[in-house]
Amino acid sequence: MSGKRATKNIFSETHSVVEEYNNALDNLMQEFRDRTVRDTCVNVYRVLDILEDLCLDGMVYADGAGLDTRKKCLDGTRVEILKVIVDWINDADVNVPRIFWLHGQAGRGKSAIAHTIALQYKNVGGIWSCFCFTRDRRTERLEEKMLSTIVCDLANRDAAFVRAVVRAIKKDNTLKTTHDVMRQWRELLKPLSEVSGGRVGNVVVVIDALDESGPDGSREHILEVLTAQAASLPSNFRILLTSRPLADIVDALRDAQHVKAVSLDDFSAECDIHMYVSKQLKDRRGIGATEINEIVRRADGLFEWARLACEWIRPGIAGETNKERFDDLMARTSREGEILLDKIYLAVLESAVGRRQKSLARFRSLMRQILYTLEPLPMGALHAMRTYFPHQDDRFEVALIVDYMGSLLSGVTDHKSPIRVLHSSFRDFLTDQSRSGDYFVGELGIQADLAVASLCVLHDGLCFNVCGLESSFLLNSDVPGLAERVKAKITSHLSYSSLFWAKHLEATKFDPTLAGHVKNILGNERILFWFEVLSLLGVLGNAVYALSSAARWSQVSTWTSMMVSSWITYNLSRGRQDLRMLQHWQGMV
């Protein structure tokens, strides 16, 4: 019995020990799990902190100025010049020029080459940025946003780059919003470039159409950066720059040792244009090898001419064959005594508009509006503003002209897209009377028309709480879905008029009738509704400039204008007070 009892006691004690160990193990496991959870939480918070630190929200950035794949070269074309550029990008020599400047006359296809290079580098997973200037965005002062946009692009494609940018911003947060090109270079792009030395592969930056940035003075600082600073970039940095050979650009770049200047005019485009025309006119009845060869010969190296010629022939019109359209085009395009591209523009306009007085007058009126609006507008907005033009003859349906201009304007088929000239050479042609003749489009009178139209749009469109916000105590940034509401409630023409009425006003001479339109906006509660629209558009600060501009415009010597000037000056003071109150109320200052 004692043996059995002893055995029983042993098992009992063993069970207790095992249970004790199990409990201890369970406690250790729970402690391990608790510590793991705690450490995981700590690490998650650290990661979130890092991600928050690496956020570049708020950096000055030019939306819509980047790569457009629709503009790339047709496959198989421009092989020679593309190879020259790719070889330059891949050149391992540390002394290779950092800038490749591709220049040439309008219509040669410089932009297509620029977009093709950017797309190729994107497709191979490289670190790249593409920034494109365009003349119809000059009011946005893209030259002040170019470097900050490039910095954002490069940082978003490389972790080391984004850390370098964040370090720079932590030292000075104003770098996010500065428009100082030299500071952007010195304090953002330079630190970023310094961390690129250990990278495998090159960093490629494409800057297209620098000549379209604006007047010479608009690109002075960019040219200073490219000539005086870019030479110190690391050997794996490449900048592809395209432009027409304007005097200020030529003077700045032609003697720089770190700039490889290449003229596109020196490269034959005949085979490429032949390939392009053959594809565009493939299977067109009446158009064979003879006709294609003649188009290529007449194009004389200008892709823009070839494109327009194909547009002319391809659609055809009722009662004419493709061959008849071709014969008509060739009969109009003698190269003797006139610029070849002008001939094709004249031919297209004679077909689309003709020379009847009413059609010509409407064409000039509409193109004057398109060329001199400070921001491209879609067809509906153009028409809405035109209904307020002072002269009855200008109040016609925009589609009467636009619908026939598809080969020269973009946005024609999609009525929600802004209407733009497809090529800068067409704008140059229209605004030079010696070239365009009957189709000449001058500036005379359009600034007053646009000022009147803008003020009338504001008079009829401004209202209290335009977006129907439920509370006036929330910051714009705290309103759910505000961007969608703004898009739905603030029309393109109301937005345009709010932004630019004063700029059009200051471009006119004082006029009592026009002053009355100004009074209708600034002399009552509409001034506050205007402030609200600017706030919703994120440009409330523009109000001070507009009010100051209106006051300056009215300060001329006649008694009537002196009275109006006194009235506007009074409202300017009142408007500034209202503006400061509104800014404070919204927590914006």
Side-chain angles (χ1 to χ4, degrees), residues 78 101-111 113 209 211 241-246 249-250 261-267 301-302 423-424:
R78 313 319 300 261
W101 175 35
L102 182 66
H103 58 85
Q105 63 175 294
R108 288 285 181 182
K110 300 182 296 297
S111 291
I113 292 168
D211 54 291
L241 174 70
T242 73
S243 77
R244 288 182 295 168
L246 300 188
I249 301 177
V250 172
V262 175
S263 173
L264 191 55
D265 300 337
D266 295 337
F267 287 79
L302 293 179
H423 199 274
S424 59

Side-chain angles (χ1 to χ4, degrees), residues 55-330:
C55 179
L56 297 180
D57 288 348
M59 281 279 286
V60 173
Y61 191 88
D63 291 318
L67 171 64
D68 186 343
T69 58
R70 297 170 298 178
K71 294 182 178 181
K72 74 179 185 69
C73 299
L74 180 68
D75 289 345
T77 63
R78 313 319 300 261
V79 173
E80 184 181 4
I81 183 60
L82 288 173
K83 183 179 185 304
V84 171
I85 297 172
V86 170
D87 287 346
W88 162 75
I89 291 174
N90 295 328
D91 192 337
D93 186 349
V94 295
N95 296 316
V96 67
R98 303 299 188 261
I99 297 175
F100 189 113
W101 175 35
L102 182 66
H103 58 85
Q105 63 175 294
R108 288 285 181 182
K110 300 182 296 297
S111 291
I113 292 168
H115 285 273
T116 301
I117 291 294
L119 179 61
Q120 286 181 357
Y121 220 67
K122 173 182 180 294
N123 288 342
V124 299
I127 307 301
W128 63 281
S129 176
C130 180
F131 191 95
C132 307
F133 288 99
T134 177
R135 194 177 305 191
D136 55 24
R137 295 184 64 179
R138 285 181 175 179
T139 58
E140 299 178 44
R141 302 186 69 86
L142 291 181
E143 66 277 5
E144 296 177 351
K145 304 175 182 178
M146 183 191 82
L147 288 180
S148 58
T149 301
I150 290 170
V151 165
C152 283
D153 286 344
L154 298 180
N156 287 331
R157 294 177 179 124
D158 186 271
F161 284 178
V162 74
R163 287 193 292 271
V165 176
V166 168
R167 283 195 297 270
I169 292 172
K170 280 187 173 181
K171 293 178 183 177
D172 186 351
N173 196 54
T174 63
L175 287 173
K176 276 191 172 185
T177 55
T178 182
H179 292 285
D180 185 335
V181 172
M182 299 308 295
R183 283 193 67 204
Q184 291 173 7
W185 172 270
R186 186 172 56 251
E187 301 177 49
L188 287 174
L189 190 59
K190 197 68 164 52
L192 180 148
S193 67
E194 288 171 355
V195 303
S196 70
R199 290 194 49 80
V200 176
N202 291 323
V203 177
V204 176
V205 174
V206 176
I207 302 172
D208 181 42
L210 179 61
D211 54 291
E212 296 199 15
S213 62
D216 293 1
S218 68
R219 52 183 170 265
E220 177 182 354
H221 295 303
I222 292 177
L223 288 172
E224 183 178 349
V225 163
L226 294 176
T227 54
Q229 307 295 329
S232 63
L233 284 171
S235 60
N236 64 333
F237 255 73
R238 301 287 188 274
I239 299 175
L240 172 62
L241 174 70
T242 73
S243 77
R244 288 182 295 168
L246 300 188
D248 63 315
I249 301 177
V250 172
D251 290 343
L253 299 180
R254 63 183 169 189
D255 296 326
Q257 296 298 310
H258 62 285
V259 175
K260 180 181 179 70
V262 175
S263 173
L264 191 55
D265 300 337
D266 295 337
F267 287 79
S268 174
E270 185 173 337
C271 292
D272 296 331
I273 292 176
H274 190 282
M275 186 182 299
Y276 172 83
V277 173
S278 298
K279 181 176 181 179
Q280 295 298 313
L281 299 181
K282 182 181 179 181
D283 299 328
R284 291 283 165 179
R285 183 177 298 176
I287 304 297
T290 301
E291 289 75 21
I292 289 173
N293 289 336
E294 183 62 15
I295 293 171
V296 173
R297 186 182 72 82
R298 295 290 183 95
D300 195 28
L302 293 179
F303 264 90
E304 181 65 5
W305 195 97
R307 182 188 71 79
L308 288 167
C310 293
E311 290 282 350
W312 166 280
I313 295 167
R314 192 173 53 215
I317 59 174
E320 289 186 7
T321 66
N322 293 322
K323 183 63 165 60
E324 288 170 337
R325 296 281 288 174
F326 167 82
D327 290 340
D328 192 20
L329 176 65
M330 292 301 109

Side-chain angles (χ1 to χ4, degrees), residues 14 17 31 36 81 92 174 212 263 265 291 350 413 471 481-482 520 528 542:
T14 302
V17 171
E31 183 179 346
T36 301
I81 183 60
T174 63
E212 296 199 15
S263 173
D265 300 337
E291 289 75 21
E350 285 179 9
T413 56
S471 171
L482 181 61
N520 287 338
L528 294 177
N542 288 13

Side-chain angles (χ1 to χ4, degrees), residues 539-554:
V539 290
L540 185 56
N542 288 13
V544 172
Y545 167 83
L547 292 170
S548 301
S549 176
R552 289 193 302 271
W553 170 79
S554 65

